Amino acid sequence: MRILNVLIIVLAAALLSSCASMSYNRSIKQTGSIVDYLYPDAKSAPAMTPTVTRLRPPVRVGIAFVPGAGWGNGLPETARMKLLERVRDSFSKHPYIGKIEIIPTQYMRARGGFTNLEQVARMFDVEVVALLSYDQVQFNDSNALSVLYWTIIGAYVVHGDQYDVQTMLDASVFDVQSRKLLFRAPGTSQVKGSASWAGFSEKSRAAQTEGYNAAVDQLVPNLQAELDNFRERIKHDANYQVENKEGYKGGGAMDWPGLALVALLAGLAWGLRRRE
Amino acid sequence: MNNLLEFDRHALLAGQWWRLWTGHLVHYTPQHALIDFAVVLAAAVIVVQLSATPAIGMRRLALALGLGAPFISLGMLLIAPGCLTYRGASGVAAMLMVMAGGALWPRATRSVRAALLLMAATLLAKIGAEAAGYAHGLSDLPADVVVAWQAHLLGVAAGAITFAARKPRLQLD
């Protein structure tokens, strides 16, 4: 009888701990693909006709997350807005960027293509849109400590579950009218941690948000560097043209080249006077 | 005060004609003003110094500034309809640079003339680059201000007219 009792307790403990460790998905994936959004039914590579992209500084920019494939995919909207605000604040100081509009995901239609992008750009009165695609994978595993979950208290105290959240954000900046990709920049992060059975859900959710935040931390300087490269590139690239915007403020500036020219003129005049 | 003096398309068309002149006196930043006025001053000194007498030089300079400034502003009204406001002395500076070059030209040797032609080409190339948008980012103008290349082109045209008007008198000299 005593042996039977011991067997029952061991079996119950094994079942309880296995229930606890099996209650999570081994991996969770959140993804919003730029290709799925812009080219939903593409069977072959999109044909790009060579066109001149006209940029009229200060450029009006929209910034949005690419809509995910299914319901509840990705971050909650409030967290997305906070991330987009961080990106916006980093780029609002540039003279050639007029305003940066944050576009809520509700305005973006999954697999909407350029048609949806153009609608949104018209609605928010922007010329260029920065689309943030994302790919986050969370791996959940139990460690050796999870065996202590059978004690019930262990399920609340012992960190027997661990997570590994890997995030990649990619900002692709498109000119809406020409549908041309102007530049892109990535940001990645990895967040690892452990939690007790009871606190795992909350902690892993926080790790997801932390993963996105860390990826944005890396994305912002990368995007800044790509923006600087792009500014240099368009000076020599005939496919891009910077034009004046209607109703602009004009300034007549001689700048340093003008100053150098007049200095040369003064030098010539001085030489001439000396000779005479 | 700057708002009262700048070139303002709507205010000009409403009859505030002083802006034809005063728009060239106000600037967006101290650096913008410093560079523009440095060019104006240097070119003006060359024009006066190379005139027959300082009095004639001063008279020419006053005439050029009095007529050149509204010429550039009126030109801006005509050829840059999108430009709602404008500040800067660079149009006048461009005019005086051409006048200075023109004053040097009759006395210059062949090599100096070649240098003057090269400088004229550089000035035109600068304006061309501004018109094509390539100079955007090189300018020290504030964030929301676009380089008004039309003012520079009009300044060059005004300087060229002054040079053309001066030529017969030089031949008489």
Side-chain angles (χ1 to χ4, degrees):
Chain A
M1 188 63 189
R2 202 172 160 195
I3 292 171
L4 189 65
N5 284 344
V6 168
L7 272 174
I8 289 169
I9 289 168
V10 168
L11 190 64
L15 283 172
L16 277 171
S17 62
S18 63
C19 282
S21 60
M22 286 172 70
S23 63
Y24 305 114
N25 293 327
R26 285 285 167 206
S27 71
I28 302 165
K29 186 167 176 157
Q30 299 179 343
T31 180
S33 161
I34 186 105
V35 177
D36 285 348
Y37 172 62
L38 289 179
Y39 305 102
D41 303 314
K43 299 282 187 293
S44 57
M48 295 294 288
T49 48
T51 52
V52 176
T53 303
R54 296 174 200 282
L55 298 167
R56 299 174 181 84
V59 178
R60 298 188 302 272
V61 181
I63 179 166
F65 267 95
V66 169
W71 184 84
N73 197 322
L75 279 171
E77 192 60 23
T78 47
R80 289 184 187 208
M81 297 300 264
K82 278 184 186 162
L83 288 176
L84 293 177
E85 278 167 14
R86 283 183 56 205
V87 178
R88 180 192 63 189
D89 295 344
S90 307
F91 290 90
S92 56
K93 63 181 185 297
H94 291 297
Y96 39 87
I97 297 175
K99 63 164 185 177
I100 304 177
E101 286 282 349
I102 292 177
I103 302 169
T105 314
Q106 290 90 330
Y107 290 84
M108 314 287 285
R109 201 173 63 239
R111 303 170 65 81
F114 277 103
T115 313
N116 178 235
L117 190 67
E118 281 161 1
Q119 286 169 345
V120 169
R122 263 199 304 276
M123 194 181 292
F124 284 85
D125 189 28
V126 293
E127 302 154 308
V128 165
V129 176
L131 290 170
L132 263 69
S133 54
Y134 57 92
D135 189 87
Q136 186 178 69
V137 185
Q138 179 182 334
F139 297 102
N140 301 325
D141 295 296
S142 301
N143 57 31
L145 293 173
S146 65
V147 77
L148 295 173
Y149 285 169
W150 71 271
T151 60
I152 308 298
I153 293 173
Y156 292 89
V157 177
V158 173
H159 284 205
D161 282 300
Q162 54 195 30
Y163 50 78
D164 176 0
V165 182
Q166 296 177 18
T167 311
M168 178 172 175
L169 279 176
D170 188 281
S172 311
V173 182
F174 282 87
D175 175 59
V176 178
Q177 196 178 21
S178 65
R179 298 185 173 187
K180 198 184 277 181
L181 174 66
L182 304 179
F183 59 94
R184 59 162 290 276
T188 57
S189 75
Q190 185 175 30
V191 179
K192 285 183 173 184
S194 61
S196 64
W197 177 77
F200 185 80
S201 178
E202 186 187 348
K203 270 198 133 180
S204 69
R205 214 167 41 243
Q208 288 175 359
T209 309
E210 191 188 336
Y212 280 111
N213 275 322
V216 166
D217 287 342
Q218 204 186 75
L219 175 82
V220 167
N222 287 348
L223 197 58
Q224 181 61 64
E226 284 302 319
L227 178 60
D228 292 341
N229 287 343
F230 176 70
R231 282 186 64 208
E232 285 303 311
R233 202 170 75 222
I234 59 173
K235 287 177 187 167
H236 314 290
D237 193 335
N239 291 321
Y240 297 95
Q241 200 167 358
V242 181
E243 294 177 342
N244 288 343
K245 199 184 283 291
E246 284 304 309
Y248 59 92
K249 278 165 81 175
M254 266 290 127
D255 300 324
W256 299 108
L259 205 58
L261 275 178
V262 84
L264 282 171
L265 265 177
L268 288 177
W270 182 73
L272 207 68
R273 294 275 295 185
R274 256 188 90 187
R275 205 185 60 196
E276 288 173 350
Chain B
M1 178 60 87
N2 282 348
N3 290 339
L4 200 67
L5 299 179
E6 70 181 1
F7 169 99
D8 182 321
R9 168 172 291 274
H10 300 301
L12 265 168
L13 294 175
Q16 297 180 2
W17 295 106
W18 67 85
R19 293 176 188 269
L20 291 175
W21 287 269
T22 57
H24 302 280
L25 300 176
V26 289
H27 289 75
Y28 290 105
T29 62
Q31 190 188 344
H32 179 205
L34 200 68
I35 295 178
D36 275 9
F37 284 135
V39 176
V40 167
L41 186 68
V45 167
I46 297 169
V47 170
V48 173
Q49 287 288 311
L50 293 182
S51 296
T53 63
I56 293 173
M58 288 302 285
R59 209 168 51 235
R60 280 191 62 219
L61 188 65
L63 196 67
L65 290 174
L67 295 177
F71 173 83
I72 295 165
S73 297
L74 287 170
M76 287 293 286
L77 277 178
L78 289 172
I79 68 170
C83 184
L84 300 181
T85 58
Y86 168 82
R87 292 181 192 179
S90 61
V92 171
M95 176 184 76
L96 290 175
M97 279 171 73
V98 174
M99 283 177 69
L104 275 168
W105 184 265
R107 305 169 184 204
T109 58
R110 282 181 69 182
S111 58
V112 173
R113 284 187 173 187
L116 285 172
L117 285 175
L118 193 66
M119 287 161 72
T122 309
L123 182 61
L124 289 174
K126 177 182 180 288
I127 296 169
E130 287 165 351
Y134 296 124
H136 196 85
L138 291 176
S139 160
D140 56 354
L141 289 169
D144 53 342
V145 179
V146 175
V147 178
W149 59 270
Q150 298 94 333
H152 300 164
L153 193 64
L154 287 160
V156 169
I161 291 168
T162 316
F163 180 57
R166 182 178 177 270
K167 211 173 176 183
R169 225 192 302 169
L170 274 174
Q171 283 170 344
L172 282 176
D173 289 345

Short mmCIF file of all heavy atoms in Angstrom, two decimals, chain A residues 4-37:
data_model
loop_
_atom_site.label_atom_id
_atom_site.label_comp_id
_atom_site.label_asym_id
_atom_site.label_seq_id
_atom_site.Cartn_x
_atom_site.Cartn_y
_atom_site.Cartn_z
N LEU A 4 2.39 1.85 -3.30
CA LEU A 4 1.37 2.37 -4.23
C LEU A 4 1.20 3.89 -4.06
O LEU A 4 1.12 4.64 -5.05
CB LEU A 4 0.04 1.65 -3.98
CG LEU A 4 -1.06 1.93 -5.00
CD1 LEU A 4 -0.67 1.41 -6.36
CD2 LEU A 4 -2.38 1.34 -4.55
N ASN A 5 1.18 4.31 -2.78
CA ASN A 5 1.06 5.77 -2.51
C ASN A 5 2.21 6.55 -3.11
O ASN A 5 2.02 7.61 -3.72
CB ASN A 5 1.00 6.02 -1.00
CG ASN A 5 -0.35 5.66 -0.42
OD1 ASN A 5 -1.32 5.52 -1.18
ND2 ASN A 5 -0.42 5.50 0.88
N VAL A 6 3.41 6.01 -2.91
CA VAL A 6 4.60 6.69 -3.46
C VAL A 6 4.51 6.78 -4.98
O VAL A 6 4.79 7.82 -5.59
CB VAL A 6 5.89 5.95 -3.02
CG1 VAL A 6 7.10 6.45 -3.79
CG2 VAL A 6 6.10 6.09 -1.52
N LEU A 7 4.07 5.69 -5.58
CA LEU A 7 3.94 5.66 -7.05
C LEU A 7 2.94 6.70 -7.55
O LEU A 7 3.16 7.39 -8.55
CB LEU A 7 3.50 4.26 -7.50
CG LEU A 7 4.63 3.26 -7.74
CD1 LEU A 7 4.06 1.88 -8.03
CD2 LEU A 7 5.52 3.73 -8.89
N ILE A 8 1.83 6.82 -6.81
CA ILE A 8 0.79 7.79 -7.20
C ILE A 8 1.34 9.22 -7.12
O ILE A 8 1.14 10.05 -8.02
CB ILE A 8 -0.46 7.63 -6.31
CG1 ILE A 8 -1.18 6.34 -6.68
CG2 ILE A 8 -1.41 8.83 -6.45
CD1 ILE A 8 -2.28 5.93 -5.71
N ILE A 9 2.08 9.51 -6.02
CA ILE A 9 2.65 10.86 -5.85
C ILE A 9 3.64 11.18 -6.96
O ILE A 9 3.61 12.25 -7.56
CB ILE A 9 3.31 10.99 -4.45
CG1 ILE A 9 2.23 11.00 -3.36
CG2 ILE A 9 4.17 12.24 -4.36
CD1 ILE A 9 2.76 10.84 -1.97
N VAL A 10 4.51 10.21 -7.27
CA VAL A 10 5.52 10.44 -8.32
C VAL A 10 4.84 10.66 -9.67
O VAL A 10 5.21 11.56 -10.44
CB VAL A 10 6.50 9.24 -8.38
CG1 VAL A 10 7.36 9.29 -9.64
CG2 VAL A 10 7.37 9.21 -7.13
N LEU A 11 3.84 9.86 -9.94
CA LEU A 11 3.12 9.98 -11.21
C LEU A 11 2.42 11.35 -11.32
O LEU A 11 2.47 12.01 -12.36
CB LEU A 11 2.09 8.85 -11.32
CG LEU A 11 1.42 8.69 -12.69
CD1 LEU A 11 2.44 8.31 -13.74
CD2 LEU A 11 0.31 7.66 -12.63
N ALA A 12 1.79 11.74 -10.18
CA ALA A 12 1.09 13.04 -10.17
C ALA A 12 2.07 14.18 -10.39
O ALA A 12 1.81 15.12 -11.15
CB ALA A 12 0.36 13.22 -8.84
N ALA A 13 3.23 14.08 -9.72
CA ALA A 13 4.25 15.14 -9.88
C ALA A 13 4.74 15.20 -11.31
O ALA A 13 4.89 16.28 -11.90
CB ALA A 13 5.42 14.87 -8.93
N ALA A 14 4.97 14.03 -11.90
CA ALA A 14 5.46 14.01 -13.29
C ALA A 14 4.42 14.61 -14.23
O ALA A 14 4.75 15.38 -15.14
CB ALA A 14 5.77 12.56 -13.69
N LEU A 15 3.17 14.26 -13.99
CA LEU A 15 2.10 14.78 -14.86
C LEU A 15 1.95 16.29 -14.71
O LEU A 15 1.81 17.02 -15.69
CB LEU A 15 0.77 14.09 -14.53
CG LEU A 15 0.61 12.67 -15.06
CD1 LEU A 15 -0.67 12.04 -14.50
CD2 LEU A 15 0.59 12.67 -16.58
N LEU A 16 2.01 16.76 -13.44
CA LEU A 16 1.87 18.20 -13.19
C LEU A 16 3.00 18.99 -13.85
O LEU A 16 2.77 20.01 -14.51
CB LEU A 16 1.88 18.49 -11.68
CG LEU A 16 0.55 18.32 -10.95
CD1 LEU A 16 0.75 18.42 -9.45
CD2 LEU A 16 -0.45 19.36 -11.43
N SER A 17 4.23 18.50 -13.66
CA SER A 17 5.37 19.24 -14.23
C SER A 17 5.33 19.21 -15.74
O SER A 17 5.65 20.19 -16.42
CB SER A 17 6.70 18.68 -13.72
OG SER A 17 6.82 17.34 -14.13
N SER A 18 4.91 18.07 -16.30
CA SER A 18 4.85 18.01 -17.76
C SER A 18 3.75 18.91 -18.28
O SER A 18 3.91 19.54 -19.32
CB SER A 18 4.65 16.58 -18.25
OG SER A 18 3.41 16.10 -17.78
N CYS A 19 2.64 19.00 -17.53
CA CYS A 19 1.56 19.92 -17.94
C CYS A 19 2.08 21.35 -17.97
O CYS A 19 1.82 22.10 -18.90
CB CYS A 19 0.40 19.86 -16.95
SG CYS A 19 -0.63 18.43 -17.21
N ALA A 20 2.85 21.69 -16.90
CA ALA A 20 3.36 23.05 -16.82
C ALA A 20 4.30 23.36 -17.97
O ALA A 20 4.21 24.41 -18.59
CB ALA A 20 4.08 23.24 -15.49
N SER A 21 5.21 22.47 -18.24
CA SER A 21 6.21 22.77 -19.26
C SER A 21 5.65 22.68 -20.66
O SER A 21 6.21 23.22 -21.59
CB SER A 21 7.42 21.83 -19.11
OG SER A 21 6.97 20.51 -19.26
N MET A 22 4.52 21.98 -20.81
CA MET A 22 3.97 21.85 -22.16
C MET A 22 2.90 22.89 -22.47
O MET A 22 2.28 22.87 -23.50
CB MET A 22 3.38 20.44 -22.34
CG MET A 22 4.46 19.37 -22.50
SD MET A 22 3.76 17.73 -22.48
CE MET A 22 2.92 17.70 -24.03
N SER A 23 2.64 23.74 -21.45
CA SER A 23 1.55 24.68 -21.67
C SER A 23 1.92 25.81 -22.63
O SER A 23 1.09 26.59 -23.02
CB SER A 23 1.09 25.27 -20.34
OG SER A 23 2.17 25.98 -19.78
N TYR A 24 3.21 26.01 -23.01
CA TYR A 24 3.63 27.06 -23.92
C TYR A 24 3.98 26.47 -25.29
O TYR A 24 4.42 25.34 -25.40
CB TYR A 24 4.87 27.76 -23.37
CG TYR A 24 4.68 28.29 -21.98
CD1 TYR A 24 5.41 27.76 -20.92
CD2 TYR A 24 3.77 29.30 -21.73
CE1 TYR A 24 5.23 28.24 -19.65
CE2 TYR A 24 3.58 29.78 -20.47
CZ TYR A 24 4.31 29.25 -19.41
OH TYR A 24 4.13 29.71 -18.15
N ASN A 25 3.84 27.32 -26.29
CA ASN A 25 4.34 26.94 -27.60
C ASN A 25 5.85 26.97 -27.55
O ASN A 25 6.44 27.83 -26.92
CB ASN A 25 3.84 27.92 -28.66
CG ASN A 25 2.35 27.82 -28.84
OD1 ASN A 25 1.78 26.75 -28.71
ND2 ASN A 25 1.72 28.95 -29.09
N ARG A 26 6.47 26.07 -28.25
CA ARG A 26 7.92 26.02 -28.27
C ARG A 26 8.50 27.25 -28.97
O ARG A 26 9.56 27.73 -28.63
CB ARG A 26 8.40 24.74 -28.96
CG ARG A 26 8.24 23.52 -28.09
CD ARG A 26 9.29 23.48 -26.98
NE ARG A 26 8.97 22.49 -25.98
CZ ARG A 26 9.37 22.55 -24.72
NH1 ARG A 26 10.08 23.56 -24.31
NH2 ARG A 26 9.05 21.61 -23.88
N SER A 27 7.85 27.70 -30.02
CA SER A 27 8.30 28.92 -30.69
C SER A 27 7.09 29.72 -31.16
O SER A 27 6.07 29.16 -31.57
CB SER A 27 9.23 28.60 -31.85
OG SER A 27 8.51 28.01 -32.89
N ILE A 28 7.23 31.04 -31.05
CA ILE A 28 6.16 31.94 -31.48
C ILE A 28 6.76 32.89 -32.50
O ILE A 28 7.85 33.44 -32.27
CB ILE A 28 5.61 32.76 -30.29
CG1 ILE A 28 5.08 31.82 -29.20
CG2 ILE A 28 4.53 33.72 -30.74
CD1 ILE A 28 4.85 32.50 -27.87
N LYS A 29 6.08 33.07 -33.60
CA LYS A 29 6.63 33.94 -34.66
C LYS A 29 5.65 35.06 -34.97
O LYS A 29 4.46 34.82 -35.15
CB LYS A 29 6.90 33.11 -35.90
CG LYS A 29 7.61 33.88 -36.98
CD LYS A 29 8.13 32.98 -38.08
CE LYS A 29 8.73 33.87 -39.14
NZ LYS A 29 9.70 33.28 -39.97
N GLN A 30 6.18 36.29 -35.00
CA GLN A 30 5.39 37.43 -35.42
C GLN A 30 6.07 38.01 -36.65
O GLN A 30 7.27 38.28 -36.61
CB GLN A 30 5.36 38.50 -34.33
CG GLN A 30 4.75 38.03 -33.04
CD GLN A 30 4.79 39.11 -31.98
OE1 GLN A 30 5.52 40.08 -32.09
NE2 GLN A 30 3.99 38.95 -30.94
N THR A 31 5.33 38.19 -37.68
CA THR A 31 5.97 38.70 -38.90
C THR A 31 5.07 39.64 -39.68
O THR A 31 3.85 39.44 -39.75
CB THR A 31 6.44 37.52 -39.79
OG1 THR A 31 7.06 38.04 -40.94
CG2 THR A 31 5.31 36.61 -40.20
N GLY A 32 5.68 40.67 -40.22
CA GLY A 32 5.00 41.58 -41.14
C GLY A 32 5.96 41.80 -42.29
O GLY A 32 6.96 42.50 -42.13
N SER A 33 5.69 41.18 -43.40
CA SER A 33 6.65 41.18 -44.51
C SER A 33 6.31 42.30 -45.50
O SER A 33 5.16 42.44 -45.94
CB SER A 33 6.62 39.82 -45.20
OG SER A 33 7.18 39.94 -46.49
N ILE A 34 7.34 43.03 -45.89
CA ILE A 34 7.15 44.13 -46.85
C ILE A 34 6.79 43.58 -48.23
O ILE A 34 6.00 44.16 -48.96
CB ILE A 34 8.42 45.01 -46.91
CG1 ILE A 34 8.22 46.24 -47.79
CG2 ILE A 34 9.61 44.28 -47.44
CD1 ILE A 34 8.05 47.47 -47.02
N VAL A 35 7.37 42.42 -48.55
CA VAL A 35 7.10 41.82 -49.87
C VAL A 35 5.64 41.35 -49.93
O VAL A 35 4.96 41.59 -50.92
CB VAL A 35 8.08 40.64 -50.13
CG1 VAL A 35 7.76 39.97 -51.45
CG2 VAL A 35 9.51 41.15 -50.11
N ASP A 36 5.18 40.72 -48.84
CA ASP A 36 3.78 40.27 -48.82
C ASP A 36 2.82 41.46 -48.91
O ASP A 36 1.74 41.36 -49.48
CB ASP A 36 3.49 39.50 -47.53
CG ASP A 36 4.10 38.12 -47.57
OD1 ASP A 36 4.53 37.71 -48.66
OD2 ASP A 36 4.16 37.47 -46.51
N TYR A 37 3.23 42.57 -48.29
CA TYR A 37 2.35 43.75 -48.30
C TYR A 37 2.32 44.44 -49.66
O TYR A 37 1.24 44.74 -50.19
CB TYR A 37 2.80 44.74 -47.21
CG TYR A 37 2.06 46.05 -47.27
CD1 TYR A 37 0.69 46.12 -47.07
CD2 TYR A 37 2.74 47.24 -47.54
CE1 TYR A 37 0.01 47.32 -47.13
CE2 TYR A 37 2.06 48.45 -47.60
CZ TYR A 37 0.69 48.48 -47.40
OH TYR A 37 0.02 49.67 -47.47
#
